[in-house]
Amino acid sequence: MSDMQDSPAYMVLARKYRPGHFRDLIGQEAMVRTLTNAFAHDRIAHAFMLTGVRGVGKTTTARIIAKGLNCTGRGDGPTIDPCGDCSACLSIADGRNVDVIEMDAASNTGVDDIREIIDGVRYRAAEARYKVYIIDEIHMLSKNAFNALLKTLEEPPEHVKFIFATTEIRKVPVTVLSRCQRFDLRRIEPEAMIDHLARVTEKEGAAVDREALALITRAAEGSVRDALSLLDQAIAHGTGGTVGAAEMRAMLGLADRGRVFDLFEAVMRGDAAAALAELGGQYADGADPAVVLRDLAELTHWISVLRISNSAAEDPTISAEERARGQDLARRLEMRVLTRAWQMLLKALDEVATAPTPMMAAEMAVIRLTHVADLPTPGELVRRLEDGARSSPPAPPAPARTREPAPQAAASSPLVRDPLPSGPPPTASPSAPRLQAIQGGAAAAVQQVAEPIAAMPAAGSDSFADAVAIIADAKDMLLLHQVERFVRPVRCRAGSLEFNPAPGAPADLAGRLSAALAGISGTRWSVIVSDAPGGPTIAEEKAKAEGVLRAEIEDHPLVLAAMAAFPGARIAAVRPLTPEMPEPEPAAFDPDTNLVDIDGDLIDGEDPFEEDL
């Protein structure tokens, strides 16, 4: 009984191997270098802000700074290398120094707690060189508490130092941050973490495989405290023998990494039966369904990064076998397949967390993944459609409208769509408008503007011209004007319009056009914005036709005579002749007696060019 009372209590590894000097810190070289130079040149700030994830050494660093400020074993001033043997160092390490006050802001959040600090800073240190206030998790302070601390924090007495620590730096007001010297403690790199755990294991006289240490490092995510706690648990788990990777996976509840690869490959092959069998086997061996899905998501992310940069394979926590299999998968899988799997796994993790039976949700997620694994990507579908359009023979001319049903082959596949146009839309011959202008049929030339557009879709009323006519019947002049200027039709059929917007098109044009067509026709219209090159807009076709007519009119004898008689005159507009008004024969032109407009009418005493020229 006396032996049990005299034996010291067991101290966990996270406390036993807590650094007591800056040289013992791992992975924080930048901060140590800055503090070393500050202490050496007597440029020590009055307030420090230490931030980083859990377990990287924020509170430990704060205590080392406090010991360096008050150590008496290295001389008369502060030192970057506290001795650890003087009364100040020993009392600070034990947490019993009256001049080093540690406060947890999570438990002391109010103004009254800060008021005690403000009242205490007026008095000098009782024993130590500096009075040091270490406030952990400072982001938990209330707004009023922060405001109460500001003035004292900005101009503290010379004998007072503040050291703050937080894991949520974004929650600390900028007014506080601007008064502190900030240090961001980094996550510990895997190589340094594995070496540190190996040294601790050797000192403890335990046997832990390096692969098992790599699993601990991966689970700790850069936190030294988490890693030491897991190592403590692993040593206890494997008392009397060597702790290997298998024992570590069983302790952490992880599936074998090789089996995760097997499950991932079955999913990517689309083999649902093999994937479900592998998932069931891991579940029977004690793996958590949520952990299995997280492993799949982690593997998907790693392979995606591996496709972009091969440096991801240099992670020391990755074994040689995993590295080889990952590189092989990265070569064979497309990025779109990987990103699709990533999104589905994220959704599945939420479902597993809320499902009554997590295993059922995991199985349904695996089934979904296997069924979409072999589906073509949107890019592949487009390429297949384009290849089919190029390889298919030209269709014979369509006969007149018939009541015969469509061929059965056209409805055999749900993926069959009208092929994209393989060439530019047909345009009218340049000679046609010129001939019609000479014959007096300018209106017929303008009528050809809609013919190339109407020829794009199938026969019948399913044409872009009919859609424009529906808009014109609605008397919505603004929408009609925008349709004529900005809509480059790609494909049009009954109830569906696909167009490429011209530059300057309104962002809501497709939605307004769909609503207008549906409201007028009484049927639902699908209006789609496409990147495919479309035909010319109605405005572009009109401008082209008018340009041809204007060129023809400029060569007309009457116009040439008028231009010669009135230097500087210009043609303001071109008006087509009406069908019942044939073009007259050229009249004798006398600039002193008669004035003739471009329609051939005689005008006396009026300026014929006021409107028409």
Side-chain angles (χ1 to χ4, degrees):
M1 187 70 176
S2 59
D3 293 339
M4 295 180 60
Q5 292 176 349
D6 295 338
S7 60
Y10 175 72
M11 182 177 293
V12 296
L13 298 182
R15 293 184 57 193
K16 183 177 181 179
Y17 292 96
R18 195 171 201 169
H21 302 82
F22 282 111
R23 61 176 177 271
D24 298 330
L25 290 176
I26 59 174
Q28 311 299 340
E29 290 79 9
M31 180 192 67
V32 172
R33 185 183 306 112
T34 302
L35 289 175
T36 300
N37 295 334
F39 274 73
H41 296 86
D42 197 20
R43 302 180 64 89
I44 305 173
H46 65 274
F48 299 93
M49 179 69 70
L50 307 177
T51 178
V53 299
R54 73 202 183 280
V56 293
K58 298 183 295 295
T59 307
T60 298
T61 302
R63 292 179 179 177
I64 296 175
I65 294 175
K67 288 195 292 185
L69 290 171
N70 293 313
C71 178
T72 59
R74 300 294 188 186
D76 297 333
T79 176
I80 195 64
D81 185 23
C83 66
D85 297 325
C86 64
S87 59
C89 291
L90 293 175
S91 60
I92 293 173
D94 294 339
R96 52 183 175 82
N97 193 297
V98 295
D99 295 318
V100 178
I101 301 96
E102 292 192 31
M103 187 182 83
D104 179 19
S107 305
N108 304 274
T109 62
V111 177
D112 294 338
D113 303 302
I114 299 301
R115 186 174 293 116
E116 294 181 5
I117 296 177
I118 297 174
D119 294 340
V121 298
R122 295 179 295 177
Y123 305 102
R124 299 190 64 87
E127 300 176 356
R129 186 179 296 113
Y130 290 98
K131 181 174 286 189
V132 182
Y133 289 91
I134 300 175
I135 303 180
D136 197 9
E137 300 299 338
I138 191 175
H139 66 273
M140 300 293 288
L141 288 179
S142 64
K143 180 180 179 180
N144 293 334
F146 274 122
N147 293 334
L149 183 62
L150 286 179
K151 187 61 178 178
T152 303
L153 183 60
E154 184 175 12
E155 298 178 358
E158 296 181 355
H159 60 273
V160 174
K161 302 291 182 183
F162 290 97
I163 306 175
F164 305 132
T166 178
T167 56
E168 301 286 345
I169 191 65
R170 292 179 178 83
K171 295 183 180 180
V172 179
V174 293
T175 51
V176 174
L177 292 176
S178 64
R179 292 165 167 84
C180 302
Q181 194 171 95
R182 173 176 168 176
F183 292 98
D184 290 79
L185 278 70
R186 302 172 53 189
R187 294 178 185 268
I188 310 304
E189 293 296 329
E191 297 89 344
M193 182 75 80
I194 293 175
D195 292 340
H196 179 64
L197 295 179
R199 289 191 297 268
V200 172
T201 302
E202 184 180 356
K203 292 179 181 179
E204 291 294 313
V208 181
D209 287 346
R210 195 167 182 86
E211 188 176 354
L213 297 180
L215 292 175
I216 293 177
T217 300
R218 184 184 300 171
E221 298 181 344
S223 170
V224 182
R225 184 175 62 229
D226 289 3
L228 290 175
S229 299
L230 290 174
L231 179 61
D232 207 345
Q233 183 179 353
I235 293 174
H237 180 78
T239 301
T242 302
V243 180
E247 291 82 4
M248 186 58 61
R249 290 184 184 279
M251 189 193 79
L252 297 176
L254 301 176
D256 182 15
R257 191 71 171 176
R259 300 187 67 178
V260 175
F261 273 92
D262 294 340
L263 177 58
F264 183 81
E265 290 177 349
V267 168
M268 292 296 106
R269 288 196 311 267
D271 191 346
L276 288 178
E278 179 60 35
L279 176 63
Q282 295 185 23
Y283 181 72
D285 292 340
D288 186 355
V291 174
V292 174
L293 293 184
R294 280 199 296 270
D295 288 343
L296 284 177
E298 179 186 349
L299 182 57
T300 303
H301 167 264
W302 180 62
I303 294 175
S304 302
V305 176
L306 199 59
R307 275 188 58 89
I308 299 173
S309 173
N310 199 44
S311 61
E314 300 174 1
D315 190 341
T317 63
I318 304 297
S319 65
E321 180 184 358
E322 296 174 18
R323 187 177 298 111
R325 296 184 71 175
Q327 290 173 335
D328 179 61
L329 289 171
R331 285 191 297 267
R332 290 190 291 154
L333 295 176
E334 294 186 3
M335 185 60 73
R336 292 181 179 178
V337 175
L338 293 170
T339 54
R340 181 172 59 192
W342 169 261
Q343 295 294 335
M344 296 181 68
L345 285 169
L346 289 184
K347 175 68 174 175
L349 286 171
D350 293 337
E351 294 177 355
V352 169
T354 58
T357 306
M359 185 58 183
M360 291 183 182
E363 288 176 338
M364 293 302 299
V366 168
I367 291 173
R368 288 199 303 267
L369 284 167
T370 55
H371 276 72
V372 303
D374 56 352
L375 290 181
T377 63
E380 293 174 347
L381 288 176
V382 172
R383 285 194 296 271
R384 292 181 186 179
L385 292 174
E386 291 176 346
D387 294 342
R390 286 193 292 266
S391 61
S392 60
R401 182 181 296 272
T402 177
R403 296 179 181 271
E404 294 180 2
Q408 183 66 24
S412 60
S413 174
L415 295 179
V416 172
R417 294 176 56 189
D418 290 343
L420 296 176
S422 58
T427 56
S429 172
S431 61
R434 294 175 60 88
L435 179 61
Q436 292 167 347
I438 294 173
Q439 295 176 349
V446 177
Q447 181 69 22
Q448 284 191 350
V449 171
E451 290 181 4
I453 303 173
M456 294 178 61
S461 62
D462 301 341
S463 67
F464 179 60
D466 293 334
V468 176
I470 294 175
I471 300 298
D473 292 340
K475 309 299 183 183
D476 189 346
M477 295 298 102
L478 176 60
L479 180 58
L480 180 62
H481 173 71
Q482 293 176 345
V483 169
E484 292 179 350
R485 285 192 59 191
F486 302 117
V487 173
R488 292 174 174 169
V490 175
R491 183 181 293 106
C492 183
R493 63 178 65 175
S496 176
L497 171 61
E498 183 177 351
F499 73 96
N500 187 322
D508 61 342
L509 178 57
R512 291 169 45 229
L513 183 56
S514 176
L517 290 171
I520 299 167
S521 63
T523 59
R524 182 179 178 273
W525 274 77
S526 173
V527 179
I528 305 172
V529 176
S530 174
D531 292 332
T537 64
I538 295 178
E540 291 170 347
E541 287 287 348
K542 285 182 178 180
K544 182 178 178 181
E546 289 178 0
V548 174
L549 290 179
R550 182 180 290 269
E552 180 65 28
I553 289 173
E554 287 176 349
D555 296 335
H556 197 282
L558 288 178
V559 176
L560 292 175
M563 291 296 183
F566 298 95
R570 63 183 179 84
I571 299 176
V574 179
R575 296 178 181 177
L577 295 173
T578 58
E580 61 272 15
M581 186 184 298
E583 184 179 15
E585 294 293 329
F589 181 77
D590 186 357
D592 296 331
T593 59
N594 298 327
L595 296 179
V596 182
D597 69 0
I598 61 174
D599 292 335
D601 297 332
L602 295 177
I603 303 176
D604 294 328
E606 297 181 2
D607 185 2
F609 304 99
E610 181 176 357
E611 294 182 358
D612 296 323
L613 296 181

